[in-house]
Amino acid sequence: MSAPIDRPVDVEKGRRMSNASIATTVTDSYTINEPTPLQEVTSYREQIREQLPPGVLATKTLSIQPYPSKHTEHDVVRVPTMLSEKQGPVVHYVNWDVNDPECPYNWSKGYRWILTMAVASLVVSAAFGSSVITGRLNGVVEDFGCSEEVAILQVSLMVFGFMIGPLLWSPLSELFGRKPVYIVALFIYMLFNIPCAVATNIETVLVSRFFSGFFASCSLTLAGGSIADLWPTEHRGNAIAYFAAAPYAGPVLGPIVGGWISVGTQSWRWIYWVNMIFSGLVWIIVCIIPETYHPILLAKRAKRMRKETGDPSYVTVEEEFPVPISELVKANLVRPFVMLATEPILMLMSLYIAIIYALLYAFFFAYPIIFGEIHHFNDGEIGLTFIGILIGTCFALMVTPYFEKLYIKTITEKGRCDPEDRLPGMMFAAPFVPISLFIFGWTSFPWVHWIGPTIAGVPFGFGMVIVYYSANNYIIDCFSRYVTSALAAKTLIRSGSGAAFPLFIVQMYHRLNNQWASTLLAFIALAIVPIPFVFYKYGARIRAASKNAA
């Protein structure tokens, strides 16, 4: 059992000065609970972190990697407990001080917003790269004589890379921090645009596109964590609200830019060169932004304190209790699939997000049919029709702060926060997606002005962003204990559907005709509308019966 903190160490003895940090208070007479049987190291670390006061905590603990103290003045008074005989030497856990200037939460608000926008640009770049080639998708058909279905793989294989990559980047970021993973992965992503641009056969293009998606996916995987590093929970809502548009605005920008590159150069290769330039600029941004992962920053502080004091007992919780490789594998490769099979909330919410994401990628192939084959637009003009979706996204960014304020008001009045309090935004926005598809389908006649199907993109972009914002927060709140596994599961389903849909959209529209193909998609979107309403009413009961949900 944990004992209360008895007393702080004498001020002069309890402070450690650093050239790069403020003085750090050392607190003593504290014990840490033993891990429960079969408790995961990640869970035990979180348990310890929840008990840590600000500053440095000197404690008797069951140390997996003991760091014996050389300074007896920091030894704690032994607190009588049932575990006392088992407890090891004194360990000084390094934590953030109150209002610590080195903690990302305490950086200036303006600076944090700049970093938030920089992180969002990483996501936009990766998502943009997946769809930019739709500006001249058939260029490889003309040069290499491959089929149109094979040409579509330029998009599908990159999105498939988005599905596989997170299984690696998430655990690597926990070991090495955000910035090193960003720098290495995004540099390699930039390089893989070169073989795409100079390829002499379709096989080179397709293999390079898969690896482009694999390495670019680090942005999609780690960006949410970077935002969480910068904003404490009570202030994170607005940042997440604006950030939610990035994974969806990026793909929409792709055909707009790619289409005009095609018109201006009459070459699909220049699309890849421009994408390489864009990803290179983003890589420069990555090199400039600081590390934000708290455990890495605290580890640097602990290392500095060990050097200054000559005492090797100054450590972080993460250094004292490293997560075994087996646990990382389980969390990222095994548990996501188990949770998908056993957690109806995770499965259905992931399915909802996946369908919305798949519909967005379906538009990249439906729009050229409607506006190219019926209205005879060129590649650049087809790209401009996606502006409707961007407008809807902008409207969503105006509305999401309202739902964040509504959430805060609700939990303030209730005195507690339930995951279901995240769902009103999703319930409001869900009908907009099928409505947009019905409009898109039944304005796709040659005698209807092109503005009709273009306007259909507005409600789609609006509903898409708000649905994702609410559903993603709901998943995080429901599975806070296994949030990494839950988000990995969501990413697998989402990216898998995004990769699959483009492979049959063209054939579906040609065989069912434009109206009924869109109507079929609209009915699919309509069928999932009740999901947030069901969970709003019954979610608490479902979570109560779950082993993993909060």
Side-chain angles (χ1 to χ4, degrees):
M1 297 176 61
S2 293
I5 299 173
D6 287 348
R7 58 183 175 80
V9 174
D10 179 79
V11 173
E12 294 303 319
K13 292 183 179 180
R15 292 186 179 273
R16 288 288 174 269
M17 298 300 294
S18 168
N19 294 331
S21 67
I22 62 173
T24 303
T25 303
V26 180
T27 309
D28 72 353
S29 291
Y30 201 89
T31 58
I32 299 296
N33 290 338
E34 272 189 288
T36 58
L38 302 179
Q39 184 176 10
E40 292 183 344
V41 174
T42 304
S43 173
Y44 186 47
R45 293 198 318 194
E46 197 63 32
Q47 174 184 317
I48 296 176
R49 184 162 290 286
E50 289 174 357
Q51 300 177 62
L52 292 184
V56 175
L57 169 67
T59 176
K60 296 284 187 179
T61 183
L62 284 167
S63 177
I64 294 176
Q65 297 186 28
Y67 292 84
S69 176
K70 296 179 181 178
H71 295 269
T72 56
E73 70 266 29
H74 297 306
D75 284 355
V76 302
V77 177
R78 199 166 184 78
V79 180
T81 70
M82 295 176 62
L83 306 174
S84 291
E85 296 306 317
K86 299 179 181 179
Q87 289 173 338
V90 170
V91 174
H92 295 83
Y93 286 130
V94 178
N95 194 21
W96 297 122
D97 277 297
V98 177
N99 298 321
D100 195 318
E102 292 185 7
C103 177
Y105 290 164
N106 298 318
W107 295 347
S108 71
K109 190 173 183 180
Y111 183 52
R112 283 183 289 156
W113 272 113
I114 290 173
L115 293 179
T116 299
M117 294 300 104
V119 171
S121 72
L122 308 186
V123 178
V124 170
S125 172
F128 171 88
S130 69
S131 64
V132 66
I133 193 58
T134 60
R136 194 178 179 87
L137 193 68
N138 287 335
V140 292
V141 176
E142 299 165 0
D143 282 12
F144 302 138
C146 63
S147 66
E148 186 176 4
E149 289 78 12
V150 171
I152 291 172
L153 288 174
Q154 293 177 94
V155 176
S156 291
L157 284 175
M158 183 162 181
V159 179
F160 184 69
F162 289 168
M163 182 175 72
I164 303 299
L167 301 177
L168 175 66
W169 307 127
S170 181
L172 282 182
S173 72
E174 293 183 15
L175 295 174
F176 303 107
R178 319 281 189 207
K179 186 171 181 177
V181 177
Y182 279 140
I183 289 176
V184 173
L186 294 183
F187 181 74
I188 298 175
Y189 163 54
M190 176 185 69
L191 293 181
F192 265 108
N193 282 281
I194 297 175
C196 290
V198 301
T200 57
N201 55 66
I202 188 61
E203 291 83 3
T204 301
V205 175
L206 297 183
V207 170
S208 298
R209 286 293 281 174
F210 168 76
F211 283 108
S212 292
F214 180 84
F215 288 102
S217 68
C218 84
S219 298
L220 305 176
T221 307
L222 306 184
S226 296
I227 300 298
D229 293 341
L230 294 169
W231 302 93
T233 304
E234 60 270 21
H235 302 299
R236 194 176 298 158
N238 287 333
I240 292 293
Y242 290 112
F243 173 75
Y248 294 94
V252 176
L253 288 171
I256 297 175
V257 175
W260 286 110
I261 295 173
S262 171
V263 171
T265 65
Q266 293 299 307
S267 170
W268 58 273
R269 298 180 186 274
W270 263 104
I271 295 177
Y272 286 122
W273 287 122
V274 170
N275 191 48
M276 188 196 75
I277 294 170
F278 183 29
S279 59
L281 293 174
V282 168
W283 182 77
I284 293 173
I285 293 175
V286 166
C287 293
I288 295 173
I289 62 176
E291 177 62 72
T292 60
Y293 190 43
H294 292 219
I296 295 296
L297 296 177
L298 286 171
K300 290 180 180 178
R301 172 175 289 186
K303 182 179 179 181
R304 189 167 61 234
M305 295 180 75
R306 290 195 294 269
K307 182 178 179 181
E308 292 172 355
T309 63
D311 184 353
S313 69
Y314 287 90
V315 296
T316 64
V317 175
E318 286 74 19
E319 289 176 311
E320 182 73 358
F321 300 100
V323 178
I325 297 298
S326 59
E327 189 172 315
L328 287 175
V329 170
K330 180 180 179 182
N332 292 278
L333 298 180
V334 178
R335 189 183 294 126
F337 296 99
V338 174
M339 291 178 68
L340 281 173
T342 60
E343 298 292 342
I345 290 178
L346 179 61
M347 181 64 201
L348 291 176
M349 279 295 171
S350 298
L351 179 65
Y352 205 124
I353 293 174
I355 289 176
I356 301 299
Y357 194 68
L359 289 173
L360 173 63
Y361 276 86
F363 277 158
F364 297 144
F365 301 92
Y367 270 47
I369 294 173
I370 304 302
F371 296 104
E373 296 178 12
I374 294 179
H375 295 288
H376 308 294
F377 285 9
N378 63 30
D379 291 336
E381 293 166 340
I382 292 171
L384 290 178
T385 59
F386 285 90
I387 289 177
I389 299 177
L390 279 182
I391 292 173
T393 299
C394 293
F395 285 152
L397 293 180
M398 298 177 188
V399 173
T400 43
Y402 165 77
F403 286 108
E404 186 61 29
K405 292 177 182 177
L406 180 64
Y407 170 72
I408 294 173
K409 180 181 177 181
T410 301
I411 63 177
T412 301
E413 292 175 351
K414 291 169 59 177
R416 70 178 193 279
C417 56
D418 296 320
E420 287 70 34
D421 296 329
R422 293 287 191 182
L423 293 176
M426 191 176 181
M427 293 188 290
F428 171 77
F432 283 88
V433 176
I435 289 172
S436 71
L437 288 163
F438 282 122
I439 295 173
F440 183 72
W442 295 99
T443 56
S444 299
F445 291 100
W447 44 268
V448 176
H449 194 275
W450 58 263
I451 198 64
T454 303
I455 288 175
V458 177
F460 181 82
F462 179 81
M464 170 181 68
V465 171
I466 297 180
V467 163
Y468 177 76
Y469 158 73
S470 297
N472 201 54
N473 280 329
Y474 183 56
I475 291 173
I476 292 171
D477 289 354
C478 280
F479 303 98
S480 54
R481 183 181 175 189
Y482 298 120
V483 66
T484 299
S485 300
L487 293 180
K490 178 208 71 175
T491 301
L492 284 168
I493 299 295
R494 183 190 69 181
S495 298
S497 63
F501 260 56
L503 297 175
F504 59 81
I505 289 298
V506 173
Q507 296 91 327
M508 186 175 78
Y509 268 78
H510 284 158
R511 293 179 184 179
L512 293 181
N513 78 40
N514 300 331
Q515 292 72 42
W516 286 108
S518 296
T519 300
L520 175 60
L521 296 177
F523 278 125
I524 293 173
L526 187 62
I528 61 176
V529 166
I531 290 177
F533 294 89
V534 171
F535 286 144
Y536 187 76
K537 185 172 182 179
Y538 300 107
R541 297 185 200 175
I542 297 172
R543 287 188 291 107
S546 169
K547 295 180 180 179
N548 301 312

